């Protein structure tokens, strides 16, 4: 994991400790903070490094297939089952099974996973002898599972099972000076991927990058670097190219690094920063309260729906992350 901030250094130290403790890990963090990357670092720093790392998106597994996906099936278990098929648990034997978006599991899926975690025993669909798996489970979610439990959307007993070790990934806006380091890294990665000429960020573009709230976190920064590289004809990517790549940066050019209320910034820059921060904080709280429903959010805020939609796009705020599962 790239970064030099205190927040990311603390995460690195935790990863090393967690790698040597062979129990379940729950990773929480906003979209784009690198939850799968962290899970891989734990796996490859552990004694399981020579065994498989098997990622699965829980939200992509149909409810009717959850047991088959996890545990596999025997021959003749259902129509067209002409042979035995191992499940994800078998594929991860000796290694790590990474359950991304674990909060998206249905009630049935949660019960199925809980039953396995109680004693690590399972049976393939269609019967057969019980089997034992030594796969390590690492789960991740962009929601707060404690809040999901309180709202009755996630089983408390499953939360306890998954939460043996806990890790919260900080959003990019809490990582101090890591934006500059990551922006330069991603620009270099784009250059290597496209076999194109080397380019660098201009001072005005870098100031805008540092001032941005990054609702999509590291993944968003990676995408912005790619688009900015494609929009720039010269070797230096300035603010103009950055704005063509991502219009959401409009207004950030007036915000230098440092405290928004520092007198040296000037009244206009401080005011611009304060307004932008207020809008972002207000909109995220509003969408949380409205459960990701823009129409409901518009009614709550007394704002016209189209105008609210423009504000959400301006700050890069999606609605999916706020919708109840």
């Amino acid at each position: 994991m790239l970064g030099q901030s205190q927040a990311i250094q603390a995460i690195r130290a935790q990863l090393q400790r967690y790698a040597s403790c062979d129990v379940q890990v729950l990773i929480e963090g906003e979209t784009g903070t690198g939850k799968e990357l962290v899970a891989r670092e734990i796996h490859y720093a552990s004694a399981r490094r020579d065994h498989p790392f098997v990622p699965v998106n829980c939200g992509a597994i149909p409810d009717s297939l959850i047991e088959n996906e996890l545990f596999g099936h025997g021959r003749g278990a259902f129509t067209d089952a002409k042979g035995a098929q191992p499940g994800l648990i078998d594929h991860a034997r000796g290694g790590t099974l990474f359950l991304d978006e674990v909060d998206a599991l249905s009630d049935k899926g949660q019960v199925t996973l809980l039953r396995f975690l109680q004693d690590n025993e399972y049976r393939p669909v269609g019967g057969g002898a019980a089997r034992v798996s030594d796969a390590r489970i690492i789960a991740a979610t962009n929601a707060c599972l404690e809040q999901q439990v309180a709202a009755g959307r996630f089983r408390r007993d499953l939360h306890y099972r998954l939460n043996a070790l806990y890790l919260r990934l900080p959003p990019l806006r809490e990582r101090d000076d890591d934006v500059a380091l990551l922006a330069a890294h991603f620009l270099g990665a784009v250059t290597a991927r496209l076999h194109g000429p080397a380019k660098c960020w201009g001072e005005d573009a870098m100031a805008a990058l540092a001032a941005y709230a990054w609702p999509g976190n590291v993944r968003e920064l990676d995408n912005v670097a790619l688009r900015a590289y494609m929009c720039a004809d010269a070797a230096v990517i300035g603010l103009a190219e950055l704005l063509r790549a991502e219009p959401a940066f409009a207004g950030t050019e007036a915000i230098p690094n440092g405290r928004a209320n520092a007198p040296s910034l000037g009244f206009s820059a401080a005011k611009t920063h304060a307004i932008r921060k207020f809008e972002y904080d207000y909109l995220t709280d509003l969408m949380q309260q409205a459960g990701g429903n823009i129409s409901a959010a518009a009614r709550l805020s007394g704002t016209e729906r189209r105008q609210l939609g423009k504000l959400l796009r301006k700050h890069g705020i999606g609605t999916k992350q706020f919708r109840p599962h």
Side-chain angles (χ1 to χ4, degrees):
M1 293 187 68
L2 291 178
Q4 56 193 9
S5 62
Q6 290 185 352
I8 213 64
Q9 289 179 30
I11 291 295
R12 284 200 196 99
Q14 275 187 291
L15 293 185
Q16 291 300 317
R17 291 193 292 270
Y18 286 6
S20 62
C21 186
D22 201 26
V23 297
Q24 282 84 256
V25 182
L26 175 62
I27 304 171
E28 291 185 356
E30 295 179 8
T31 297
T33 49
K35 295 183 287 294
E36 182 172 341
L37 176 62
V38 165
R40 288 181 181 275
E41 294 227 0
I42 293 174
H43 171 79
Y44 288 109
S46 73
R48 296 174 175 267
R49 65 180 67 89
D50 296 325
H51 297 278
F53 177 90
V54 180
V56 56
N57 189 316
C58 295
I61 303 178
D63 197 33
S64 59
L65 297 179
I66 183 69
E67 292 189 18
N68 184 53
E69 287 291 314
L70 288 178
F71 307 141
H73 62 261
R75 181 180 180 182
F78 48 82
T79 305
D80 295 331
K82 298 179 180 179
Q85 181 69 41
L88 295 168
I89 293 291
D90 278 314
H91 287 301
R93 189 174 298 276
T96 301
L97 179 63
F98 174 60
L99 303 175
D100 197 10
E101 295 189 24
V102 70
D103 58 302
L105 283 174
S106 65
D107 292 342
K108 178 183 177 181
Q110 292 180 38
V111 171
T112 300
L113 181 58
L114 176 64
R115 190 166 61 242
F116 166 71
L117 290 176
Q118 286 173 347
D119 50 19
N120 289 347
E121 284 191 358
Y122 67 98
R123 293 178 186 272
V125 176
R131 303 179 185 180
V132 177
S133 172
D134 62 349
R136 183 183 192 179
I137 304 297
I138 299 180
T141 173
N142 59 14
C144 173
L145 275 195
E146 187 62 50
Q147 292 180 1
Q148 297 292 308
V149 169
R153 292 192 288 266
F154 200 84
R155 294 180 63 100
R156 185 172 295 278
D157 46 4
L158 179 56
H159 182 220
Y160 288 150
R161 290 283 182 181
L162 295 173
N163 198 26
L165 295 175
Y166 174 78
L167 192 65
R168 174 193 174 269
L169 296 188
L172 189 54
R173 61 184 174 275
E174 294 179 8
R175 291 177 54 179
D176 302 331
D177 300 326
D178 286 349
V179 170
L181 178 66
L182 289 167
H185 167 76
F186 287 135
L187 205 56
V190 171
T191 301
R193 190 191 322 164
L194 302 180
H195 304 288
K199 297 180 183 181
C200 63
W201 298 103
E203 289 187 11
D204 54 353
M206 187 59 75
L209 291 172
Y212 187 56
W214 296 109
N217 293 292
V218 179
R219 186 182 298 123
E220 183 183 11
L221 177 52
D222 189 5
N223 292 336
V224 166
L226 172 61
R227 292 197 298 270
Y229 183 94
M230 300 300 294
C231 288
D233 296 323
V236 177
I237 301 175
L239 183 62
E241 291 77 18
L242 181 59
L243 289 174
R244 284 204 300 271
E246 180 50 76
F249 283 89
T252 56
E253 67 273 19
I255 312 168
N257 293 325
R259 293 186 300 113
N261 59 350
S264 59
L265 297 186
F267 177 82
S268 179
K271 180 181 178 182
T272 300
H273 181 89
I275 292 174
R276 188 175 186 86
K277 185 177 186 305
F278 165 78
E279 288 181 350
Y280 179 83
D281 292 344
Y282 180 85
L283 290 170
T284 52
D285 289 344
L286 177 65
M287 296 308 296
Q288 182 73 45
Q289 186 177 353
N293 186 305
I294 297 181
S295 296
R299 289 192 297 269
L300 286 171
S301 61
T303 307
E304 197 271 325
R305 189 183 189 282
R306 183 178 298 178
Q307 180 62 27
L308 180 60
K310 289 181 179 179
L311 281 171
L312 292 171
R313 288 192 295 273
K314 170 186 173 183
H315 291 276
I317 299 173
T319 59
K320 183 179 177 181
Q321 60 181 309
F322 301 103
R323 293 172 186 166
H325 295 292

